[in-house]
Amino acid sequence: QVQLEESGGGSVQAGGSLRLSCAVSGYSGDRACMAWFRQRPGKEREEVAARCGDDRERYADSVAGRSTLSRDNVKNTLYLQINSLKPDDTAMYLCAAGGAGILWGSLFRPSAYPYWGRGTQVTVSS
C-alpha cells in the first residue's frame, strides 16, 4: 500500500522559511515524479513544484526563486524548502507521487498523480 506522509508545516512570520518533508512508503523508484501542491479553503488545488528523478524540476511562478526541491532516495523522501514566506503562501501543502513518465506539460496537473498525502498546514502571518 502506497502512503505519503507530509510534515514540516507550521506557523511562521512573513519572511521566514520552512522545510516541508514528504515521506513515501510502499512506492519507490529514483525516476518517479513527485510534486507539491497547495490548497486554500474554497480554492482549487494549485501547483507548487515538481521533480522527476534528478534531472527534471519545475517550479510554479509563485515560488520560483525562493524555493528548492531536494530528494533523499535512501529515505524515499522529498523535501521542499520555501524561503521568504508570504501570507499568500498560507495553505495546506500536499505531496503527490506518480510514475516516471509524466510529461513536462503535465507535471502540474493533479490528475497525473495517483498517490497523495493528507497534507501539512502552512500559516504565514504578516
Side-chain angles (χ1 to χ4, degrees):
Q1 183 179 359
V2 178
Q3 290 187 322
L4 283 68
E5 184 171 0
E6 302 93 335
S7 61
S11 297
V12 297
Q13 290 194 331
S17 299
L18 281 175
R19 188 193 193 204
L20 307 183
S21 300
C22 174
V24 183
S25 60
Y27 185 79
S28 62
D30 294 351
R31 308 297 302 172
C33 295
M34 295 182 67
W36 286 95
F37 291 81
R38 65 188 184 187
Q39 192 158 20
R40 302 179 181 89
K43 301 288 187 180
E44 291 188 356
R45 198 161 291 186
E46 176 188 18
E47 67 276 4
V48 179
R51 180 175 178 139
C52 297
D54 293 325
D55 56 358
R56 288 198 294 155
E57 280 188 351
R58 187 176 179 184
Y59 295 90
D61 291 343
S62 58
V63 300
R66 59 187 182 94
S67 63
T68 304
L69 284 169
S70 60
R71 190 165 176 169
D72 186 330
N73 290 326
V74 175
K75 295 182 178 180
N76 216 15
T77 299
L78 179 72
Y79 303 98
L80 175 68
Q81 175 82 27
I82 310 179
N83 303 318
S84 303
L85 282 160
K86 310 171 184 179
D88 281 350
D89 293 320
T90 296
M92 179 70 75
Y93 283 71
L94 302 115
C95 178
I102 298 176
L103 299 177
W104 180 263
S106 297
L107 284 177
F108 284 163
R109 293 181 181 172
S111 60
Y113 300 90
Y115 307 112
W116 290 82
R118 294 186 175 183
T120 184
Q121 177 68 36
V122 171
T123 303
V124 184
S125 58
S126 57

